[in-house]
Amino acid sequence: MPQCAFCGKATTTQEGLKRHIARRPECQRQWALMINDIEADNLNTPDDNLPPVDVDFSHVHPHLDPNPAPSKSHRRYSEPQADAGWALHEGETKFERYRRHQEEEVEDRWSPFEDAEEWDLAEWLVKNLGQTRTDEFLKLPITQNRTKLSFHNNRSFLQRVDALPRGPGWSCRKVTVRGNKEDEFGAPLEEEVELWSRDPVECVQELIGNPFFKADMTYSPAKAYADRAGQHRVIDEMWTADWWGETQKALPKGATIALIILLSDKTCLSQFRGDKSAWPVYMSIGNIAKAKRRQASARATILIGYFPASKLDCFTPDARSLAGYRLFHHCMALLLQPLIAAGQHGVEMVCADSLVRRVHPILAAYVADFPEQCLISCCKENRCPKCLVGANERGDSLDSPMRDPESMKEILEMRKNGQHPPEFEENGLCAVYKPFWADLPHANIFLAFTPDLLHQLHKGVFKDHLVKWCIDIVGEEEMDARFKAVPNYPGLCHFKKGISTVKQWTGREHKEMQRVFIGLLTGAVPSRVLVVARSILDFSYYAQLQIHMTETLEALQTTLDMFHANKDILKELAIREHFNIPKLHQLTHYVQSIMLLGTADGFNTELPERLHIDFAKEAYRATNKRDYEEQMTLWLQHQEAVFLRAAYLDWLAQHPLLPAGHAEPRSFDPGFDSDSDSESEETEAASPNTTSSLVTSKEVTHIVVKAPAHPHQSVEKIVTAHGATDFLPALQTFLQKNLPQTTGVVPGVHDRFDVYRQAVIVAPPDQRVGDAPKQWHVRARPEVVASGWRSGCPGRFDMALISDTPRSSGLRTLDDVRVAQVRVIFTLPRQFGTYSRALAYIEWFTPFRLPDPSSRLLQVSRSTRHLRRNAAVIHVDEIV
């Protein structure tokens, strides 16, 4: 039986021991000291003498699963902050309370619906049909006669939906705006607008207490390293960055911070006519893993308000912009008012692990595009919303001081009192005398702004500037021709019509352009322009990394310095007169933001663009287009109720209802030393926090279909259709090396081979760039001649990287690999014995030469032998 080594408390399972340590501050402190001692001992042992260890962070941290290990197994060493995230006592999550209610009332799990089939229908109706269509469907004779539903029209159906548990409620506040225009009687015009909002503290309770996020929830910060000595810092999630740890020092011991992430973006609702718009405000918490936050379907980012999107016609055009600034800040202050007291004193909340903690919701990050960042920071759009760089100095690599909230508030207060401080104009401020962030505790709005990969990098610096500069140098026609000339390759977007005719670009298309852009520019622009382009693209790729280390952050800054060192070539070519570009200046803050808040992929503005579809556009389409805000909130409540019920049923499948009169065993004592071990050993073994569930396949898989596309192909056909001129000599050399027992069987022109069109290679994910396995196709497909109504297709013989030996993991470097063109993918016929491995006939390129000094691209050329292409037969699993 496990026993606490610090106080002697005995528990029935290891899970119970972890809970005990999480709730006893003294044991928790002793645990932290023990971990530090162990790590100190490990520092005295050279790493070379230790076997590689995949560290599960949750086993190191002293709390009950406070920081679940990343979704994939990888090596890291942690330095936990033991005075955060303490559990006060045990509680019940929303799902547990509802399950207990159903047990006490002896309700069926599908209540208020009759059974699983009726629930499935109800879920489909809410998600896919509006109220009118639902009523029509329920009144169809076939529906009424054959389904025998417990609801017969839309009204009775919605009554059952309204009986489902739902999230925080909505409220509407009327805000009266007095303009500077006057009516015919000389009275100032007024406009009444509506602010629809939800209590942000209740929304935090909903997120942090949702059992659906239990495996992805974190309650305390820690520093992570790639080495035992702590020399190589690892930053990915918000709990590994600096902001949380620094802010934690200002709170009482054991406090838990809910890292508020706000997202806002104005969007158009009407598609083809009208000018209806909405201004949604979303919220998430950085305690939830970024991979889960990025999933729109997980509802880890929720809607907390609709701001008025009025045109403010009661103001003259010259005063309308400032009035919009003030209205935004007034509405945001009303919305976030509950966070002031909650952030200062904390609120006891039941967390996803069924433990109660004192939670301080504090604004940590704000995701917005550049104009909205200026709106939030109360500065003009010709200034930086984060720092005090001069209006005409944003094109230089300067280390400008950051804006300070206290200083900004003092300057605005002086301006409000009729004074004219010079800093008001020097800092480019707008006369918003009461910013919403003025009273938020422990928040620095200027540090909260996060990198915007979509608008600043992909669309901004790359597409709107770098591509335009290069087109001005090369010419539009030549640039289109180069894009058209890019060979077709699986997984690579082919701009077969060029890029000049494309009017609207997506973020994905920007990324596809970046993949080939340096290769297109080589030989078309001066070498220093190529260095400028390469530095911007290198910066873009480093900024997109999902795991940063000390070295990658240094490289990120180095690439930006390289751009600034070579940018003057564009002035010399008369392409640019200056580089005073707002989005270009924002890149100087990326390293600081990543160090403070975690990697940039956790704050991409692509997420609110996607959320607009669910929470704004679809909601608007469900209304009658008049007084639509109220109808939108009602529709969203129905959607949320159905989503929560579906999540509850999924949870209930793992925590089933108990028969009447039976209660789930729970133990708790007033000393907050409860070690409830309701989960069985089998459940614990399958928990997301155990090492077994973190292990993923690291093998590279090569897939060739069972049935060949071209069975029993003759050697003559292979030579002519595939261009495999040395097929037989290469195959004979392969057989002598790999199948010496078949020396008596010599391949000849009468042999026939099963030929395949392609091989699929699946490699394990590289966690630095994504969580999904990599998959690509290598084609060896001969030309298809047009016949009758069937169109022809050119031959596709793809290039590939070939390894000297089969690899058990994904490609990390280009050591011991060469480029080759794959001509034929085939298997040996039976006369050569039973040989299951697929083979490929390839034509080699030369080994990699030194990279080009400007583009840094590696150079290769065709390899020849005796004036013929150097060919060989290899195993398909040697392709990497």
Side-chain angles (χ1 to χ4, degrees), residues 491-670:
L492 190 66
C493 182
H494 186 214
F495 297 91
K496 56 185 178 182
K497 295 183 179 180
I499 62 173
S500 61
T501 59
V502 180
K503 300 302 180 184
Q504 188 169 357
W505 293 86
T506 65
R508 179 181 177 276
E509 289 169 331
H510 292 146
K511 297 173 187 177
E512 291 294 338
M513 289 176 62
Q514 293 172 18
R515 296 176 66 182
V516 300
F517 199 64
I518 294 299
L520 297 183
L521 294 182
T522 303
V525 298
S527 58
R528 286 184 63 194
V529 175
L530 204 56
V531 173
V532 168
R534 178 171 57 83
S535 61
I536 289 178
L537 289 179
D538 284 349
F539 185 94
S540 176
Y541 283 115
Y542 276 118
Q544 295 175 68
L545 290 179
Q546 297 185 13
I547 298 177
H548 268 290
M549 299 178 63
T550 307
E551 295 81 2
T552 59
L553 289 173
E554 292 174 353
L556 183 66
Q557 186 61 48
T558 300
T559 57
L560 186 60
D561 295 339
M562 184 184 300
F563 166 79
H564 285 293
N566 293 276
K567 65 186 179 184
D568 287 341
I569 182 62
L570 298 174
K571 291 183 178 180
E572 297 171 10
L573 296 174
I575 300 300
R576 289 291 302 181
E577 296 181 358
H578 64 83
F579 294 93
N580 194 35
I581 303 170
K583 293 177 181 178
L584 182 60
H585 168 75
Q586 293 300 308
L587 307 189
T588 61
H589 298 301
Y590 272 43
V591 173
Q592 181 194 41
S593 293
I594 293 171
M595 289 288 294
L596 282 175
L597 300 172
T599 50
D601 65 294
F603 309 101
N604 203 340
T605 51
E606 291 182 21
L607 177 59
E609 299 283 354
R610 172 63 183 82
L611 294 176
H612 285 338
I613 299 175
D614 294 334
F615 294 109
K617 300 180 186 297
E618 291 291 340
Y620 176 74
R621 295 191 189 107
T623 70
N624 61 8
K625 314 303 184 291
R626 294 187 297 273
D627 298 325
Y628 51 84
E629 292 93 344
E630 182 177 4
Q631 300 175 56
M632 290 169 66
T633 58
L634 182 60
W635 182 85
L636 288 170
Q637 281 185 318
H638 292 158
Q639 298 291 321
E640 188 176 58
V642 169
F643 175 81
L644 287 175
R645 170 48 66 93
Y648 168 73
L649 291 174
D650 291 339
W651 175 85
L652 197 61
Q654 301 178 359
H655 307 79
L657 289 170
L658 296 176
H662 292 74
E664 185 178 19
R666 302 170 70 91
S667 60
F668 173 73
D669 63 68

Side-chain angles (χ1 to χ4, degrees), residues 22 42 51 115-116 149 183 193 229 251 356 393 435 438 480 490-491 503 508 525 571 580 638 687 796 866:
N42 289 338
D115 51 31
L149 299 173
D183 59 16
V193 296
L251 299 178
V356 177
E393 298 177 333
D480 280 344
K503 300 302 180 184
R508 179 181 177 276
V525 298
K571 291 183 178 180
N580 194 35
H638 292 158
S687 167
R796 304 293 186 191
H866 306 303

Side-chain angles (χ1 to χ4, degrees), residues 455-471:
H455 296 99
Q456 291 172 359
L457 269 181
H458 301 312
K459 183 181 182 301
V461 175
F462 174 70
K463 177 60 176 64
D464 294 343
H465 297 292
L466 178 61
V467 173
K468 183 179 181 300
W469 299 339
C470 294
I471 289 177

Side-chain angles (χ1 to χ4, degrees), residues 200-456:
V201 176
E202 293 182 7
C203 292
V204 171
Q205 290 176 316
E206 185 75 17
L207 289 171
I208 205 169
N210 192 337
F212 184 68
F213 303 133
K214 179 180 178 180
D216 302 285
M217 191 72 70
T218 306
Y219 304 109
S220 61
K223 289 186 178 179
Y225 301 94
D227 62 316
R228 293 182 184 275
Q231 299 297 318
H232 302 278
R233 181 87 178 272
V234 176
I235 295 178
D236 47 12
E237 302 286 353
M238 291 187 75
W239 60 268
T240 65
D242 293 337
W243 184 92
W244 192 346
E246 292 300 319
T247 307
Q248 192 75 46
K249 297 176 183 177
L251 299 178
K253 274 192 173 183
T256 302
I257 296 180
L259 294 84
I260 302 293
I261 304 173
L262 293 180
L263 309 89
S264 61
D265 183 37
K266 195 173 183 179
T267 186
C268 182
L269 297 176
S270 50
Q271 288 183 319
F272 303 108
R273 61 181 182 178
D275 56 353
K276 304 295 185 181
S277 58
W279 202 330
V281 180
Y282 307 102
M283 188 187 76
S284 185
I285 54 175
N287 310 67
I288 302 174
K290 59 183 180 178
K292 184 64 68 174
R293 296 200 311 267
R294 288 198 303 262
Q295 296 176 10
S297 60
R299 301 289 181 103
T301 301
I302 61 178
L303 180 70
I304 64 170
Y306 283 123
F307 279 11
S310 171
K311 295 181 179 179
L312 298 179
D313 292 329
C314 57
F315 288 91
T316 57
D318 60 327
R320 196 168 293 154
S321 176
L322 180 58
Y325 268 54
R326 291 174 174 172
L327 178 60
F328 174 88
H329 280 268
H330 178 71
C331 292
M332 187 65 83
L334 293 176
L335 175 65
L336 302 183
Q337 178 67 29
L339 291 181
I340 297 176
Q344 291 173 340
H345 309 296
V347 178
E348 288 193 8
M349 298 184 185
V350 180
C351 299
D353 57 1
S354 302
L355 298 179
V356 177
R357 295 177 174 86
R358 180 162 290 277
V359 177
H360 296 252
I362 299 174
L363 176 61
Y366 203 122
V367 180
D369 57 19
F370 180 77
E372 200 152 322
Q373 288 183 6
C374 295
L375 164 66
I376 295 163
S377 62
C378 306
C379 74
K380 299 175 182 177
E381 291 190 15
N382 65 343
R383 298 302 182 96
C384 174
K386 293 177 69 73
C387 73
L388 296 175
V389 65
N392 298 319
E393 298 177 333
R394 289 173 295 175
D396 301 323
S397 181
L398 301 175
D399 188 14
S400 303
M402 301 297 293
R403 294 180 182 268
D404 177 62
E406 296 302 322
S407 299
M408 297 300 112
K409 286 190 289 185
E410 291 177 4
I411 296 170
L412 292 173
E413 184 65 25
M414 294 170 64
R415 180 77 172 194
K416 177 182 178 182
N417 296 331
Q419 303 179 42
H420 297 278
E423 295 86 356
F424 184 85
E425 295 296 337
E426 292 173 2
N427 297 344
L429 295 177
C430 296
V432 179
Y433 302 129
K434 189 63 175 177
F436 74 84
W437 39 264
D439 298 324
L440 292 178
H442 310 294
N444 185 330
I445 193 64
F446 307 113
L447 295 179
F449 295 131
T450 59
D452 183 356
L453 297 177
L454 176 63
H455 296 99
Q456 291 172 359

